[in-house]
Amino acid sequence: MIEHDIIVIGGGLSGLRAALEAKRNGADVAVISKVPPIRSHSVAAQGGINASIGPDDSWDSHAYDTVKGSDYLADQDTVEILCKEAPEIVYEMENWGTLFSRTEDGKIAQRPFGGAGFPRTCYAGDRTGHNLLHTMYEQVLRAGVRIYNEWMVTRLATDSNRCTGFVALNLLNSELESFRAKSIVIATGGYGRIYQRSTNSIINTGFGISLAYRAGVPIQDMEFVQFHPTTLWGTNILITEGVRGEGGYLYNKDHERFMDKYAPESMELAPRDIVARSIQTEIDEGWGFSGGYVQLDITHLGKELINERLSGIRQICIDFAGVDPIKEPIPVQPGHHYSMGGISSGKDGLTPLDGLYAIGECACISVHGANRLGGNSLLDTIVFGKRAGEHAANAVKSIAMPSEDSLNESLTEERSNIDSMMGDGGESFADVKDELRQTMQRYVGVYRNRGDLETGLANVKALEKRGENIHVKSRVNAFNMELMNVLEVKGMLDIARVITEGALVREESRGAHYRTDFLERDDEKWLKHTLAYLKDGNPKLEYKDVTITQFQPKRREY
Amino acid sequence: MVYLKIKRQDESREWYDTFDIEQTPGMTVLEALFYVQEHMDGSLCFRYACRGAVCGSCGMLINRVPRLACRTQVGIAKKENTREGSGDIFVAGQKSESGEENEEILIEPLPNLKVIRDLIVDMDSFYNLVDSIKPWISSPEEHPEGGNLMDPDMRGKIEKYTNCILCACCHGSCPVAARDDTYLSPATLAKAWRMHLDPREDDASRQERLDFVDSESGVWGCDLVYKCVAVCPKKVPPTLGIKALREQIEKKKEN
Ligand SMILES: Cc1cc2nc3c(=O)[nH]c(=O)nc-3n(C[C@H](O)[C@H](O)[C@H](O)COP(=O)(O)OP(=O)(O)OC[C@H]3O[C@@H](n4cnc5c(N)ncnc54)[C@H](O)[C@@H]3O)c2cc1C
Ligand code: SF4
Ligand code: FES
């Protein structure tokens, strides 16, 4: 059994920031991650991180944009924290070495992003995530935090409403080990790969969310799934919103700048949900190009600007689509991008399970509500990562190490669980996974309605049944990828089920959740958060109020 | 159709397996490997994460060139000679003589690192080399009001080096790393130069790092053959960093 005061599961931006803060506050802290931290999905973020550091900007204007963008579902007390702490977070990262892009006079440069009333997004070219994550990792190394690389956590251990640690699989040799801690922080990122088209890394399966769900923790607002309007046709690699921020135009096959039909004021810079639906409508109504895409054109921006601020995007287009955006428009289509929902947690990352914190994309601290604004999620990971790390470090000073019993028990259960999956025959994980991803894409996508959601739900339930019968044929010990995949597919099914049921029940359109059979937002009935608990193998839905402080809900127009 | 000839390895054996798969439009080598893993042989292993050439997980030898599997198109790789049997490491694919599709792609693990299994190599030894130069900015606790200022031109100079994703392709191509496992590696030295250039780094740490790389395992070990520069998927020029570090060291010694 391995022991630390605090163990952070996940080495992305949120997990590393939590670990760093806990260490700075004197705790014995370790990070465990299925890939080395710098391979985490955070590395892929392109566009930037929001902070109201401009001379005419203010935290409350940032908060207003965030709440409006969220379609009033965000909790305004946590949004206030996010926006107030943003400038300090950006300056801190800068001071640690992040290579932000600069203005002529050497200050941190900012670019406009959708849904923001001000150019508020600080960026490092179009490699903001790469620069932030490497900087953060460097500082974690400097602080001497212990890191367990290439370990996959498979089950949380609990003892009378307290999280006592977890069981993890060492990918190097397929051995299971138990880890005991006074506090655990989950920072495992999003679940993009349950959709067929997703901008996310292949490792983003949402398994961390299902770990908490299976340990009895509620997961919140899962029906709110963000689709990014512009992903590269084919591979769905992200084409950052920064491209539109720099002045890119969207055209349909008749070379119309169709956004003037949908958001005449803000055009290409309307929030993501609106632009994604506009593109999808164009495609569905036959105005897209054959194969299902529209064009994002930046040829008018000129070679120099493209090479300076969008060089990563240019390279992506050349490598993955054979298109050079200096000369030709980029083919784009909407794809899954971000999870607004996640493990229910509060302003310090605390979940309803004692000793368990959740932060970053796997969590729902509810700063993004029904729709996240670009540049707010990198901010979310660092702001709340820092808070959770500090809170946990203070808390462990007065908590005793839990007893070993629950961990020994969990280890035994997990051994027999894995043993029962080994063998020939049965279902293959790849078939179940592929069908799940198609189902979610087809029936629980940008546009939703009762009929589709019911079909989607029936499919997911059928796949759950088949999921019970998946076997691992490969017997190798070192890097048994088939075993990892089988474990993760089961978590993907949990999440798909909750998203679909939540979406079916929520009879309104709000933010990214758009019902063609209930076109309006319905504050009377639905200005509330969804909580899903796992009860006897099924999600049980409950609801809770949204915290409203300074901004009263009003109609959202752009 | 395309044949993937993949080098397999476990604790006790080394062998090659050939898989014959249906090529789909735009398919990358990484996707082809997934196809094998999911449908033909679940025991095949390799590393991956982003599939978009940003995380650095999937460096491997494709037709004896170190490169990222996720960024290499099957359609392009199969028009190259596989150079099977050659002991050399190359910096670019070589079109097959006829220009015709060759149908076969040779896939092997990155050289100069111990193989754990199949295409997975021991990256820890590579990371340890990188970490040995203390690759972080030792800035003071408090930042200046409004952040540090940085000249955009200086930012441009540093950026070339910050783009490194630690994929180890350069390490796999490096003749010095092949003969000397204490050699710090092109990636490490490129990073040392990145830290050295940064105006936010404090002088004592900068000097300490310079002293550390002033050795045969450091900047003086380099053969200046520029293979690392040629293979780097992120256009990082390690050799230029190494030369710049040498100049700095010599300048300091003259003074
Ligand atoms: C392509 C793309 C571009 C983006 N660009 C922007 C942007 O410009 N601005 C912005 O604000 N946001 C952006 N986002 C969103 C943002 O990048 C993510 O929300 C954020 O990086 C998530 O960070 P995280 O720390 O929560 O998780 P991640 O970075 O995803 O890290 C998750 C970690 O958990 C580990 N892990 C997962 N499961 C397990 C397990 N079972 N056991 C052990 N370890 C596990 C993984 O190894 C990994 O280390 C973008 C997202 C995408 C998809
Ligand atoms: S310098 Fe280039 S080749 Fe070497 S590790 Fe960095 S990105 Fe990879
Ligand atoms: S999978 Fe990330 S670089 Fe290839």
Side-chain angles (χ1 to χ4, degrees), chain A residues 66-261:
Chain A
T66 302
V67 169
K68 181 181 174 194
S70 83
D71 224 347
Y72 296 91
L73 193 72
D75 285 333
Q76 297 181 14
D77 53 345
T78 49
V79 169
E80 181 172 332
I81 294 173
L82 180 83
C83 301
K84 269 192 180 154
E85 294 188 7
E88 183 52 32
I89 285 298
V90 165
Y91 289 138
E92 190 172 66
M93 291 306 298
E94 192 285 327
N95 196 46
W96 282 333
T98 303
L99 203 66
F100 283 112
S101 293
R102 301 285 171 162
T103 59
E104 281 306 313
D105 51 0
K107 295 201 186 108
I108 298 173
Q110 293 180 286
R111 62 167 46 133
F113 249 42
F118 201 86
R120 187 181 289 135
T121 306
C122 311
Y123 60 99
D126 51 10
R127 298 188 179 94
T128 312
H130 168 89
N131 279 281
L132 289 173
L133 186 65
H134 280 250
T135 303
M136 192 77 88
Y137 182 64
E138 287 156 17
Q139 294 298 321
V140 163
L141 280 178
R142 178 185 180 190
V145 173
R146 174 88 160 91
I147 297 182
Y148 295 89
N149 273 336
E150 307 199 300
W151 284 76
M152 183 165 123
V153 177
T154 66
R155 170 190 294 251
L156 294 182
T158 58
D159 189 357
S160 46
N161 201 44
R162 159 118 192 246
C163 184
T164 55
F166 53 81
V167 177
L169 180 75
N170 185 353
L171 302 179
L172 188 63
N173 56 17
S174 295
E175 302 268 336
L176 287 174
E177 177 69 87
S178 56
F179 288 73
R180 182 160 73 139
K182 297 176 183 176
S183 287
I184 305 287
V185 183
I186 302 198
T188 50
Y191 55 69
R193 288 287 156 172
I194 69 170
Y195 280 86
Q196 191 176 25
R197 292 192 194 134
S198 171
T199 59
N200 285 198
S201 293
I202 298 174
I203 56 171
N204 281 23
T205 60
F207 190 48
I209 301 177
S210 88
L211 286 177
Y213 179 59
R214 289 185 173 208
V217 184
I219 51 181
Q220 183 176 331
D221 294 340
M222 293 294 283
E223 62 271 32
F224 297 99
V225 177
Q226 181 162 79
F227 296 88
H228 199 288
T230 59
T231 78
L232 191 64
W233 182 65
T235 50
N236 304 104
I237 294 175
L238 181 72
I239 302 299
T240 172
E241 189 166 321
V243 172
R244 283 172 288 133
E246 298 292 352
Y249 299 147
L250 286 164
Y251 290 116
N252 64 18
K253 74 168 194 245
D254 292 344
H255 205 67
E256 278 170 338
R257 248 184 101 186
F258 56 82
M259 280 311 297
D260 64 2
K261 279 190 265 175

